[in-house]
Amino acid sequence: MARTDDRFRSAYNKLLDICTQMEVGGQLPAEAVLADRMEVSRTIIRSALQRLDTENLIQWEGRRKTLIKQPEARHRLSQSESTPTGEELEKRFLEWILRFDVPAGTALNIAQLSRQFGVPAHSLQEFLSGLSRFGLVERGSKGGWILSGFTAEFAIELSDFRLVLEMNAIRHLLSLPQDHEIWGKLKEVRAEHIALRKDLKKRYHDFSTLDGKFHATVNSVVKNRFVLEAQKLISLIFHYHYMWDKRDELERNAAAIEEHLEWIDAMLARDMGGSEEAALKHLRRSKETLLASLKNHKLA
Amino acid sequence: MARTDDRFRSAYNKLLDICTQMEVGGQLPAEAVLADRMEVSRTIIRSALQRLDTENLIQWEGRRKTLIKQPEARHRLSQSESTPTGEELEKRFLEWILRFDVPAGTALNIAQLSRQFGVPAHSLQEFLSGLSRFGLVERGSKGGWILSGFTAEFAIELSDFRLVLEMNAIRHLLSLPQDHEIWGKLKEVRAEHIALRKDLKKRYHDFSTLDGKFHATVNSVVKNRFVLEAQKLISLIFHYHYMWDKRDELERNAAAIEEHLEWIDAMLARDMGGSEEAALKHLRRSKETLLASLKNHKLA
DNA sequence: CAGTTTGTTTTTAATAATTAAATTCAATGT
DNA sequence: ACATTGAATTTAATTATTAAAAACAAACTG
């Protein structure tokens, strides 16, 4: 019970490594030095030393920590595999919602989900609490969580929000000087589009990634934590939809490549009006596609 | 230990109320009916009935629940005061940061803060997790929370983000038809500005609220959960800064009123260029004021 | 006997207890 | 005098426990 001793185990094993690189009879460094080196507290070092002592690997008297014999493989402590990171959880959660088309209003069962995703219930709660800022989930009146999206409304508002952010990015981008790195990046992305277009019939699956890269490039000129955070959610959702909506994939991607190229060329020509127009055209179509895919999913 | 029985206590007291309105010898309604009426589960009703039975207030045999005698004041259970709501917590937390000028990089002590704010440590964690989406706090590498704003950088990015959102709101607003309610609202806010200007020397403190109202009105035309959520944070922070930065308050507010009026008039005249220009002017000055107030605070 | 109402069991979720780890401070040895 | 250790205190992650909800089955009533 109580918290895991993962930290202790990892430190103990590292300490074994240090012992292996020493001669029998040598002295281990001071507690504080060890603690500093492996980035844990002295408390943890002391417990590890104690254990080394009871295992008769070292003799510990005051500040003398003498190595008695080399540790063997059997002395190593097994480590529990690490829990998925926050980003990993985010991905899996969105995947679950989008792929299995969980309807809006579904009550989320913390215990069950935490088992399903293999994370402690606690961190799942924290995660949901974060998502509630984006209105994807809500707290129920008497405890519990309710999935309030992914509805058509959510998709519309997300797309509109994306439109606002990207239009802003364009205005920023076009005001940048000739020698800014963005122009080189844009030309690079343009080349990738053309390469993909040539070979589209074989590689049309690759467009999803390229689409993400293009939008990320455009938005990279806006250095703003709020925009960035929003962008992360947006690109995740659009990315997954590209991945799973298989209807007319080739045609859709071919059209999107043309739209991207038109947009890129307008930007490279420093044509503000043209860029905005091309962007608007692409983003509107993107929104329609997202909505259509939602409706299609619902009917299936 | 384990969860509180607040729910039970409140239900039991309500049940006493129901008993008081009955005659001795009368029958209480069915469990499910009671549960439904006071919006709790039947489980809780049954425990309450059991307690009424052992207190000899009712006689409970199967579906007969006969009132034996009227409950007295001493039968009521004391209730623990309710914990502050999420919004309350948000306000108090921001107030704490801004008012006491907590420096960026401060390690937040969950236990201490939860005592200070009088909320369970658990809900504080959830709250912080939500804020981390906005980059105001961050998880430390080995557990714990770190306050990563409120820095000048944060203020700049927040202001820039605000600029993007409000410019978008203006474009929306100006495309609305003549008979939309927004025009009436704008005229109303305009009148309030003029009234305040006339009496500014006495009432200049009231500007903070009016400023919030004006910006909320402009943004109300954008129906988008992401924008709304961001707006909530933005207005909170700007609101508190107006409240606490007392330097040149009268002059600042007088200038801001003029800027607002210029902006409002341009919008009422359906003048897109003028509106954008006026908005830009006001928002830029607002940003400078926020930054200056931060620097001033730092030196103090 | 059909539909309530109650009794019981199972599941879920909130909180307190528990323990690992970090931090702090005093004491000790070199 | 300084570095190092020993012990005590504080903090935070997780589990165990309990309240509440939900689901199910039996029993009663008209």
Side-chain angles (χ1 to χ4, degrees):
Chain A
M1 64 184 94
R3 61 195 287 184
T4 61
D5 54 357
D6 281 353
R7 245 178 130 59
F8 167 78
R9 284 160 179 275
S10 125
Y12 184 76
N13 286 339
K14 274 192 207 161
L15 209 50
L16 288 183
D17 290 341
I18 290 180
C19 287
T20 327
Q21 285 163 23
M22 281 173 46
E23 289 171 26
V24 170
Q27 294 293 321
L28 279 163
E31 292 173 8
V33 175
L34 289 171
D36 215 51
R37 192 182 304 173
M38 44 190 72
E39 295 179 317
V40 296
S41 75
R42 259 185 61 225
T43 310
I44 217 167
I45 294 291
R46 304 191 99 240
S47 347
L49 287 173
Q50 199 123 52
R51 170 123 192 193
L52 282 178
D53 191 46
T54 56
E55 295 270 357
N56 279 316
L57 289 168
I58 65 166
Q59 191 164 12
W60 189 20
E61 299 165 297
R63 59 186 58 180
R64 294 203 107 67
K65 297 173 285 284
T66 321
L67 183 63
I68 296 177
K69 60 181 174 192
Q70 291 287 345
E72 296 160 33
R74 69 181 167 83
H75 289 119
R76 303 206 134 256
L77 299 176
S78 66
Q79 300 235 38
S80 58
E81 75 292 348
S82 60
T83 55
T85 107
E87 296 210 7
E88 179 65 23
L89 180 60
E90 184 166 279
K91 248 170 105 173
R92 287 226 254 159
F93 184 75
L94 285 176
E95 182 166 326
W96 176 68
I97 292 179
L98 296 175
R99 193 194 271 284
F100 299 108
D101 201 24
V102 185
T106 305
L108 298 176
N109 186 323
I110 301 283
Q112 187 200 310
L113 284 178
S114 80
R115 256 173 286 150
Q116 181 175 333
F117 295 136
V119 295
H122 188 253
S123 41
L124 191 70
Q125 283 228 343
E126 262 185 24
F127 170 69
L128 289 179
S129 165
L131 274 192
S132 77
R133 287 266 161 190
F134 289 141
L136 204 57
V137 296
E138 270 175 21
R139 282 229 90 137
S141 51
K142 29 182 169 175
W145 293 91
I146 292 164
L147 184 73
S148 52
F150 195 83
T151 59
E153 234 175 37
F154 185 91
I156 290 175
E157 292 180 8
L158 188 73
S159 301
D160 288 346
F161 195 50
R162 183 198 204 193
L163 184 71
V164 173
L165 296 184
E166 300 220 345
M167 289 309 230
N168 174 250
I170 291 177
R171 281 189 288 275
H172 265 262
L173 198 152
L174 287 184
S175 71
L176 291 175
Q178 184 62 49
D179 58 351
H180 194 278
E181 57 165 6
I182 188 66
W183 303 112
K185 279 201 222 161
L186 272 183
K187 278 177 194 152
E188 205 177 288
V189 176
R190 184 176 188 277
E192 286 184 57
H193 275 83
I194 289 177
L196 184 58
R197 177 166 64 177
K198 266 193 190 145
D199 206 14
L200 191 65
K201 274 180 188 152
K202 280 183 198 157
R203 291 177 49 213
Y204 65 92
H205 285 111
D206 296 355
F207 178 69
S208 169
T209 310
L210 185 56
D211 181 73
K213 185 174 175 183
F214 169 61
H215 287 282
T217 304
V218 170
N219 285 301
S220 72
V221 300
V222 181
K223 309 286 186 211
N224 188 302
R225 70 191 73 189
F226 305 100
V227 173
L228 264 152
E229 194 60 39
Q231 214 69 53
K232 247 166 57 187
L233 180 75
I234 291 170
S235 66
L236 253 178
I237 287 185
F238 275 90
H239 178 69
Y240 280 118
H241 261 282
Y242 264 117
M243 301 248 294
W244 295 325
D245 190 3
K246 295 304 181 197
R247 293 168 310 131
D248 319 319
E249 198 180 358
L250 180 61
E251 293 78 3
R252 275 194 291 116
N253 289 354
I257 287 180
E258 296 309 322
E259 288 167 9
H260 277 186
L261 283 172
E262 195 184 332
W263 181 356
I264 294 173
D265 287 336
M267 288 194 293
L268 286 174
R270 309 289 192 283
D271 174 4
M272 174 72 87
S275 301
E276 289 193 338
E277 203 179 316
L280 207 61
K281 186 171 148 198
H282 174 60
L283 293 172
R284 286 215 173 120
R285 251 191 38 103
S286 212
K287 175 175 165 182
E288 294 309 322
T289 308
L290 181 61
L291 273 172
S293 123
L294 268 179
K295 276 180 198 139
N296 188 61
H297 224 174
K298 282 273 141 57
L299 295 173
Chain B
M1 64 184 94
R3 61 193 288 182
T4 62
D5 55 356
D6 281 351
R7 247 176 127 60
F8 166 79
R9 283 161 180 275
S10 126
Y12 183 76
N13 285 340
K14 273 193 207 161
L15 209 50
L16 289 182
D17 290 340
I18 289 179
C19 288
T20 327
Q21 286 164 22
M22 281 174 45
E23 289 171 25
V24 171
Q27 295 293 324
L28 279 161
E31 292 172 8
V33 175
L34 290 170
D36 214 50
R37 192 181 305 173
M38 44 189 72
E39 295 179 316
V40 295
S41 74
R42 259 184 62 224
T43 310
I44 216 167
I45 294 290
R46 305 192 97 238
S47 346
L49 287 173
Q50 199 124 51
R51 171 127 192 189
L52 282 178
D53 191 45
T54 56
E55 295 270 358
N56 278 318
L57 289 168
I58 65 167
Q59 192 164 12
W60 189 20
E61 299 164 298
R63 58 186 59 180
R64 293 203 107 68
K65 296 171 285 285
T66 321
L67 184 63
I68 297 177
K69 60 181 173 191
Q70 291 286 345
E72 296 161 34
R74 70 182 165 82
H75 288 120
R76 304 206 131 255
L77 298 176
S78 66
Q79 300 234 39
S80 58
E81 73 292 347
S82 61
T83 55
T85 104
E87 295 209 10
E88 179 66 23
L89 180 60
E90 183 165 279
K91 245 171 108 174
R92 287 225 254 159
F93 183 77
L94 284 176
E95 182 165 326
W96 176 68
I97 292 178
L98 295 175
R99 193 193 272 283
F100 299 109
D101 200 26
V102 184
T106 304
L108 299 176
N109 187 324
I110 301 281
Q112 187 200 311
L113 284 178
S114 81
R115 254 172 286 154
Q116 180 176 334
F117 296 136
V119 294
H122 188 253
S123 43
L124 192 70
Q125 282 229 344
E126 262 186 23
F127 170 70
L128 289 178
S129 162
L131 274 192
S132 76
R133 288 266 162 189
F134 289 142
L136 204 57
V137 296
E138 269 175 22
R139 282 229 93 137
S141 51
K142 30 183 169 177
W145 293 93
I146 292 164
L147 185 73
S148 52
F150 194 82
T151 59
E153 233 174 37
F154 185 90
I156 290 174
E157 292 181 8
L158 188 73
S159 301
D160 289 346
F161 194 51
R162 183 198 204 193
L163 184 70
V164 173
L165 295 184
E166 300 219 347
M167 289 309 230
N168 174 249
I170 292 178
R171 282 188 288 274
H172 265 262
L173 199 151
L174 289 184
S175 71
L176 291 175
Q178 185 61 48
D179 57 352
H180 194 280
E181 58 165 5
I182 188 67
W183 303 113
K185 279 201 222 159
L186 272 183
K187 278 178 193 149
E188 207 178 285
V189 176
R190 184 176 187 277
E192 287 184 57
H193 274 83
I194 289 175
L196 183 60
R197 176 166 65 177
K198 263 191 192 146
D199 205 15
L200 191 65
K201 273 180 190 155
K202 281 182 196 157
R203 290 177 50 212
Y204 64 90
H205 284 112
D206 296 354
F207 178 69
S208 168
T209 310
L210 184 56
D211 180 73
K213 185 175 174 181
F214 168 61
H215 287 283
T217 305
V218 171
N219 285 301
S220 71
V221 299
V222 181
K223 310 285 187 214
N224 188 301
R225 70 190 72 188
F226 305 100
V227 173
L228 266 154
E229 194 59 40
Q231 214 71 53
K232 249 167 56 186
L233 180 76
I234 292 171
S235 67
L236 253 180
I237 287 186
F238 276 91
H239 178 69
Y240 280 118
H241 261 281
Y242 264 117
M243 301 248 294
W244 296 325
D245 190 3
K246 294 304 180 199
R247 294 166 311 130
D248 319 319
E249 198 180 358
L250 180 61
E251 292 79 2
R252 274 195 294 116
N253 289 354
I257 287 180
E258 297 309 322
E259 288 167 9
H260 277 187
L261 283 173
E262 196 184 330
W263 181 355
I264 294 173
D265 287 336
M267 286 193 294
L268 286 174
R270 308 290 193 282
D271 173 5
M272 174 71 88
S275 303
E276 290 193 338
E277 203 179 317
L280 207 60
K281 187 171 148 195
H282 174 61
L283 292 172
R284 287 217 173 118
R285 252 191 37 102
S286 212
K287 174 176 165 181
E288 294 308 322
T289 309
L290 181 62
L291 273 174
S293 123
L294 268 179
K295 277 184 195 133
N296 190 60
H297 224 174
K298 281 276 142 57
L299 296 172

